[in-house]
Amino acid sequence: MITNTELEFKGDLYPSKIVSFEHDVDSVFFNTFNSVVLKITVVRDSLIRFRYTTKGYFSNDFSYAIDKSHSHGYNFLEVTEEAEYYQIQTSKLKCVIQKIDMRVSIYDLNGNVLLEDELGFHWEESYEYGGNIVKMSKASKDGECFYGLGDKATQMNLKGKRLENFATDQYAFQKDQEPLYKVVPFFIGLQNKQAYGIFFDNTFRTFFDFCHERRNVTSFWAEGGEMNYYFIHGPQMEDVVTSYTDLTGKPELPPLWALGYHQCKWSYFPESNVKEITSKFRELKIPCDAIYLDIDYMEGFRCFTWNKEYFPDPKRMVAELAEDGFKTVVIIDPGIKIDKEYAVYKEALEKDYFCKRADGPYMKGKVWPGECNFPDYTNPEVREWWAGLFKELISDIGVKGVWNDMNEPAVMEVPNKTFPMDVRHDYDGNPCSHRKAHNIYGTQMARATYHGVKRFAYPKRPFIITRSAYAGAQRYTSSWTGDNVATWEHLWIANIQVQRMSISGMGFTGSDIGGFAEQPSGELYTRWIQLGVFHPFCRTHSSGDHGDQEPWAFDTEVIDITRKFVNLRYQLLPYLYTMFWQYIEEGIPMLKPLVYYDQSDIQTHYRNDEFIFGNQILVCPILEPNSLGRRMYIPRGQWYNYWTNSLVIGGKEIWVDTKFDEIPVFVKAGAIIPKYPVQQYVGELEFDELTLDLYYKEGKEKSVVYEDAQDGYDYKKGRYSFLTFRVTGKEKELNIQLHKEGKYDTNYSKYKINLIGFPFKVKSIEIDNEEVLFDRVKFEEDNYLIVGKEFNVLHIIGE
Ligand code: GLC
């Protein structure tokens, strides 16, 4: 038995001997002599919840993170009692609970230890606040790696780190700085090439220690609330991440335009300035779908008002922008200006919707408008009211998206940058202090905003973006990584943050391209946009106090490269949309760090820079000035260099040459990559063919393409098109089998298939077993085929 004198010295308490247990359907309760109860619930065969109380009974079970529609149900559950321990077995796992001290070990059915308690559950009583500081420590093996936890600005592999979760407005944060804006208390452990996950669903300030304080010990603890965590069995990371995402929920599809390029600055005003920006995009032919209005569009920063001097007729302006293909997105912050003449303030005051201090006064704090009160979004009635406030913006004025900021919540000119901890919250009928509600505040604001925008945008889809978030926020909103800086180091951070968010269930994320604070050089901006177009959310934003950050703020070379990469993103929209579909359907992360892509290759365990965009495109940013290429790891398999079409065999680190207008991009052999023509905005063009880039492979590969009406909810009624292409390549032939699902008929009638990397000359082509004529001369020049979209089998035969 391990004893920890240091912890005991601090006054830690431990469960004593188990004296009884009860089994009730999917849950088993273990009671100790000193009133600790451990409730183990089998959610699924591979997903087990552990909940502890030290007072002999549990408080109300309530979570903002868990999606009520998550899957549950198991195939097998057996509880047995042995002399020294109890055992719970499912069809995937075995969980052993020691009678003497309640320590838990989890095994797979082959008897391999997946995770075991070191000290296990222990706690410290909190005299000041009541309740406990709840702690858990697990034994960690040599070579174990850790991933996840949301927006942490540190290496992908968290081994050796201690991290803190407390939503914080961290302007110009630095590498390794803690804590940041978001709180996702979920991590993935990888040990012995097997992955598991832990989701510690506790909204208090939490900490995770991955062998930082003590070698071979992983621990996590919270300043209050319950020790309440879920163990998620892999063995693949994909199993862990998709189960976690199922548990905490998936978003709906965004409108396709939201996957286009967005332009933002603090702030574009007045109207003429906004129009100058949007016209310039069209003039320079750099695609753009969304233009943002930051806080200056409001009257004295009062949410839901307009500065009529800058924007005399917002409805007309928004309509004119829409005619040119621009969707207007506006910022809405939580701070409501204390102003007796201001309708939103008056109504909230009248209805008693603002957060209060412990002894009664309203929580007052300074934000952009000066002294503000703050709605308590943890009150369902307040959320309903807030949702209703969007009527004018969305229904009448025609705004298409809402940007929620400062919702950590941020307060200016106070040392802790946020509310005092005594502030009271409703917490959906579980009244509590800010200690418990702090980390969830931003998510509840985004949730209320989402419901409002959705209500008034219907039958179109809403678009919401938030800065602060807790696990589960992905059900309502996209996010960005906050106030970064225009430095090379921040480009490195952005790359990791977005990958990490992706495997933490919150994939619809991007960084402020070019950096928010300070001024990027043309080179840095270029390298950033080259990465940013491969992020699910793609927006340039800057604080505006150092000059401009539109592409044309730099020289023509930068403008041209920006156009080239934004064009590429627009071409890849069907590919991007398909990965979004796989995310909302199956919880599959849109970006896959290399370790996720191939966990059995230990070379991937400490990689940071390379990632898989979707399923078949490998991307690696250039992160240093004056680079003519870089070293990078190519994961196992065969990959085509996107720029040169030359084939590389992976499983090794190589040097890749690039020019200033390229970053390393590789396509998996056998892949079919769907492309649209370049459009200046989504829906600009009608086109009659879908381009398919087909990369030859000797062997098999599957590719899928999801499409629908690009907005609206018909897809939920089956009106979508889902194409599965199965490629089988041999030495002198290649076969494509096409399978279609869904009731949506795409507008185009044919495919233009680009043949890439074919080692043979094409002799003949058969469609559904019939030889078809093709223009050989033309084909040999252009290397593509045009075929009607209604085929089942396409057979390309070589000579
Ligand atoms: C915060 C946001 C930033 C925004 C600014 C003004 O700093 O993070 O994106 O531009 O506030 O609203």
Side-chain angles (χ1 to χ4, degrees):
M1 161 88 193
I2 309 138
T3 57
N4 188 296
T5 41
E6 190 201 356
L7 288 175
E8 274 167 6
F9 171 76
K10 282 202 293 192
D12 281 310
L13 301 164
Y14 293 81
S16 59
K17 193 170 163 223
I18 297 176
V19 291
S20 66
F21 88 104
E22 301 110 51
H23 180 180
D24 180 16
V25 196
D26 60 354
S27 299
V28 190
F29 297 79
F30 299 95
N31 310 294
T32 67
F33 183 72
N34 62 347
S35 298
V36 175
V37 185
L38 162 59
K39 178 182 180 187
I40 298 184
T41 303
V42 175
V43 184
R44 286 164 50 192
D45 289 293
S46 55
L47 176 57
I48 301 185
R49 179 180 180 195
F50 297 83
R51 223 185 141 190
Y52 295 82
T53 174
T54 62
K55 46 187 196 212
Y57 59 90
F58 286 100
S59 308
N60 185 31
D61 189 18
F62 175 79
S63 165
Y64 281 117
I66 303 299
D67 181 6
K68 292 198 177 64
S69 65
H70 74 268
S71 22
H72 49 91
Y74 43 84
N75 295 315
F76 181 76
L77 172 57
E78 187 184 67
V79 184
T80 45
E81 179 174 356
E82 305 291 337
E84 311 272 301
Y85 60 87
Y86 298 95
Q87 180 177 299
I88 299 175
Q89 189 171 332
T90 74
S91 73
K92 296 269 170 64
L93 298 171
K94 226 162 52 184
C95 178
V96 169
I97 304 98
Q98 298 297 335
K99 287 185 174 172
I100 178 107
D101 56 8
M102 213 180 223
R103 285 194 302 158
V104 172
S105 310
I106 304 168
Y107 304 85
D108 65 16
L109 295 192
N110 300 324
N112 299 313
V113 182
L114 301 174
L115 190 62
E116 62 187 337
D117 283 354
E118 185 244 6
L119 297 170
F121 172 60
H122 51 291
W123 73 98
E124 201 182 314
E125 285 185 352
S126 169
Y127 171 72
E128 200 179 349
Y129 302 105
N132 301 319
I133 298 165
V134 291
K135 311 176 183 185
M136 173 60 66
S137 67
K138 303 278 184 193
S140 169
K141 305 271 182 329
D142 284 340
E144 188 164 0
C145 298
F146 304 92
Y147 307 92
L149 283 191
D151 63 348
K152 305 301 180 193
T154 193
Q155 278 101 308
M156 193 63 80
N157 187 342
L158 299 171
K159 174 106 179 209
K161 305 266 168 201
R162 172 178 289 195
L163 302 118
E164 179 181 349
N165 290 318
F166 188 73
T168 305
D169 174 9
Q170 208 65 273
Y171 172 80
F173 59 93
Q174 292 169 9
K175 178 168 181 261
D176 293 320
Q177 185 159 353
E178 284 279 294
L180 296 179
Y181 303 87
K182 297 174 188 68
V183 173
V184 190
F186 160 67
F187 75 86
I188 305 156
L190 178 63
Q191 191 244 314
N192 216 349
K193 298 183 181 174
Q194 292 216 50
Y196 66 86
I198 294 281
F199 172 42
F200 181 23
D201 188 11
N202 181 315
T203 56
F204 285 80
R205 188 192 298 263
T206 52
F207 294 86
F208 287 78
D209 188 302
F210 299 107
C211 314
H212 169 84
E213 181 171 312
R214 288 186 292 147
R215 197 175 161 222
N216 296 335
V217 178
T218 301
S219 52
F220 49 93
W221 63 100
E223 290 187 345
E226 270 180 11
M227 175 49 60
N228 167 33
Y229 74 92
Y230 295 78
F231 173 86
I232 309 168
H233 177 50
Q236 293 303 309
M237 269 203 196
E238 175 169 313
D239 305 321
V240 176
V241 175
T242 55
S243 297
Y244 166 76
T245 311
D246 180 73
L247 187 65
T248 56
K250 299 159 197 157
E252 296 177 329
L253 276 178
L256 185 60
W257 66 260
L259 300 184
Y261 173 72
H262 301 216
Q263 182 67 36
C264 188
K265 176 181 145 172
W266 177 14
S267 297
Y268 292 128
F269 71 91
E271 175 177 339
S272 57
N273 177 230
V274 176
K275 293 265 185 67
E276 244 170 69
I277 301 294
T278 55
S279 313
K280 196 80 184 173
F281 273 100
R282 297 298 180 244
E283 183 194 319
L284 292 174
K285 292 215 164 310
I286 299 172
C288 184
D289 259 280
I291 184 81
Y292 283 61
L293 302 181
D294 204 330
I295 49 174
D296 297 286
Y297 79 91
M298 303 180 221
E299 179 61 49
F301 308 126
R302 291 170 187 82
C303 292
F304 306 100
T305 68
W306 288 79
N307 179 319
K308 286 293 168 80
E309 201 183 307
Y310 298 152
F311 298 98
D313 187 355
K315 184 173 176 164
R316 176 190 44 73
M317 178 189 74
V318 168
E320 285 166 6
L321 291 171
E323 249 166 60
D324 203 11
F326 283 94
K327 290 71 176 173
T328 306
V329 180
V330 301
I331 196 166
I332 291 285
D333 288 351
I336 299 298
K337 189 177 174 71
I338 300 181
D339 169 3
K340 282 193 245 83
E341 309 298 313
Y342 169 34
V344 177
Y345 171 76
K346 277 199 299 198
E347 194 185 352
L349 192 67
E350 224 172 83
K351 297 190 166 152
D352 200 15
Y353 285 165
F354 290 126
C355 298
K356 285 186 187 140
R357 302 294 300 270
D359 298 325
Y362 284 118
M363 161 59 209
K364 193 171 74 174
K366 255 198 182 165
V367 218
W368 307 121
E371 298 284 6
C372 287
N373 292 146
F374 300 83
D376 182 11
Y377 301 104
T378 71
N379 178 339
E381 197 183 318
V382 175
R383 288 199 298 273
E384 182 56 29
W385 163 74
W386 183 259
L389 293 176
F390 288 94
K391 182 169 190 309
E392 192 188 346
L393 271 176
I394 309 297
S395 302
D396 305 347
I397 299 178
V399 163
K400 290 285 182 278
V402 174
W403 170 21
N404 282 165
D405 186 25
M406 306 292 276
N407 52 355
E408 289 69 30
V411 178
M412 292 167 175
E413 296 167 25
V414 293
N416 71 342
K417 303 186 192 183
T418 190
F419 292 3
M421 293 301 128
D422 68 279
V423 168
R424 305 292 301 163
H425 293 274
D426 180 67
Y427 214 92
D428 279 67
N430 303 274
C432 67
S433 78
H434 197 63
R435 295 172 68 236
K436 180 170 172 180
H438 175 82
N439 281 338
I440 198 74
Y441 186 85
T443 301
Q444 296 314 303
M445 179 195 189
R447 174 186 182 183
T449 302
Y450 161 77
H451 285 296
V453 178
K454 184 170 174 178
R455 183 177 309 162
F456 301 114
Y458 195 83
K460 299 276 196 229
R461 304 174 195 161
F463 171 70
I464 315 298
I465 177 160
T466 184
R467 192 171 70 177
S468 186
Y470 182 77
Q474 68 269 13
R475 304 204 290 276
Y476 319 114
T477 178
S478 65
S479 70
W480 90 105
T481 57
D483 295 344
N484 59 2
V485 189
T487 61
W488 290 93
E489 184 167 80
H490 261 276
L491 178 56
W492 179 89
I493 294 174
N495 178 27
I496 293 185
Q497 281 184 307
V498 178
Q499 290 183 58
R500 203 199 294 291
M501 287 292 283
S502 210
I503 54 166
S504 304
M506 233 175 262
F508 195 9
T509 301
S511 69
D512 283 352
I513 294 174
F516 177 75
E518 297 175 25
Q519 176 83 29
S521 63
E523 186 185 9
L524 177 58
Y525 181 79
T526 303
R527 293 315 194 184
W528 212 312
I529 192 92
Q530 289 171 331
L531 171 64
V533 300
F534 294 105
H535 283 167
F537 176 67
C538 178
R539 179 184 78 166
T540 295
H541 181 38
S542 70
S543 65
D545 51 16
H546 51 62
D548 294 332
Q549 207 157 296
E550 297 77 37
W552 53 90
F554 309 98
D555 63 25
T556 46
E557 193 183 15
V558 176
I559 298 176
D560 291 342
I561 301 174
T562 302
R563 182 187 306 107
K564 171 175 169 174
F565 275 80
V566 178
N567 281 351
L568 176 58
R569 182 176 178 95
Y570 275 73
Q571 289 181 293
L572 289 174
L573 279 174
Y575 180 84
L576 193 48
Y577 203 40
T578 302
M579 66 170 101
F580 218 113
W581 171 254
Q582 294 187 317
Y583 169 46
I584 70 152
E585 277 291 295
E586 299 164 56
I588 295 176
M590 293 187 272
L591 304 189
K592 299 165 181 73
L594 286 200
V595 63
Y596 177 103
Y597 184 73
D598 190 358
Q599 70 190 45
S600 65
D601 175 4
I602 52 167
Q603 298 292 329
T604 65
H605 293 187
Y606 279 87
R607 301 303 304 187
N608 292 303
D609 299 351
E610 309 87 350
F611 62 92
I612 310 290
F613 172 67
N615 299 320
Q616 294 163 318
I617 299 182
L618 165 68
V619 176
C620 185
I622 296 282
L623 300 170
E624 284 174 30
N626 303 315
S627 300
L628 296 170
R630 61 164 293 161
R631 286 194 75 78
M632 66 177 281
Y633 188 73
I634 310 282
R636 296 188 291 195
Q638 300 169 37
W639 300 87
Y640 285 91
N641 183 314
Y642 178 79
W643 310 107
T644 63
N645 288 338
S646 64
L647 191 64
V648 182
I649 310 298
K652 57 179 182 257
E653 203 180 58
I654 60 166
W655 171 269
V656 181
D657 285 321
T658 56
K659 305 185 191 114
F660 186 36
D661 67 347
E662 291 170 358
I663 57 168
V665 176
F666 292 83
V667 182
K668 200 173 177 195
I672 288 188
I673 307 292
K675 281 180 171 169
Y676 286 164
V678 172
Q679 306 176 77
Q680 296 311 300
Y681 55 91
V682 166
E684 184 202 22
L685 302 180
E686 282 187 15
F687 43 91
D688 193 36
E689 61 191 25
L690 176 70
T691 298
L692 300 174
D693 286 352
L694 163 61
Y695 291 84
Y696 173 85
K697 177 183 184 183
E698 192 169 335
K700 291 186 185 206
E701 177 73 16
K702 184 176 106 173
S703 303
V704 291
V705 182
Y706 172 86
E707 289 167 287
D708 64 15
Q710 308 185 351
D711 205 337
Y713 290 94
D714 281 358
Y715 75 98
K716 293 202 169 182
K717 297 181 216 138
R719 259 175 232 115
Y720 60 80
S721 151
F722 191 74
L723 307 176
T724 305
F725 295 95
R726 285 197 171 77
V727 166
T728 312
K730 301 199 178 133
E731 210 187 318
K732 286 219 155 50
E733 61 181 297
L734 187 131
N735 221 28
I736 306 175
Q737 274 180 298
L738 170 57
H739 175 77
K740 291 179 197 167
E741 272 167 62
K743 292 187 279 190
Y744 180 75
D745 193 16
T746 46
N747 292 333
Y748 52 82
S749 67
K750 41 191 198 256
Y751 302 122
K752 174 183 176 188
I753 307 181
N754 290 317
L755 271 42
I756 300 165
F758 277 63
F760 54 78
K761 270 189 153 185
V762 177
K763 184 172 81 187
S764 62
I765 287 166
E766 286 172 10
I767 291 180
D768 297 339
N769 292 325
E770 275 183 40
E771 184 159 349
V772 290
L773 290 174
F774 75 108
D775 183 341
R776 183 181 302 268
V777 180
K778 191 161 168 19
F779 174 76
E780 273 166 18
E781 260 168 37
D782 308 331
N783 252 300
Y784 68 76
L785 298 170
I786 303 277
V787 293
K789 70 173 177 180
E790 303 297 339
F791 73 82
N792 297 311
V793 184
L794 175 69
H795 194 177
I796 304 172
I797 303 146
E799 18 183 79

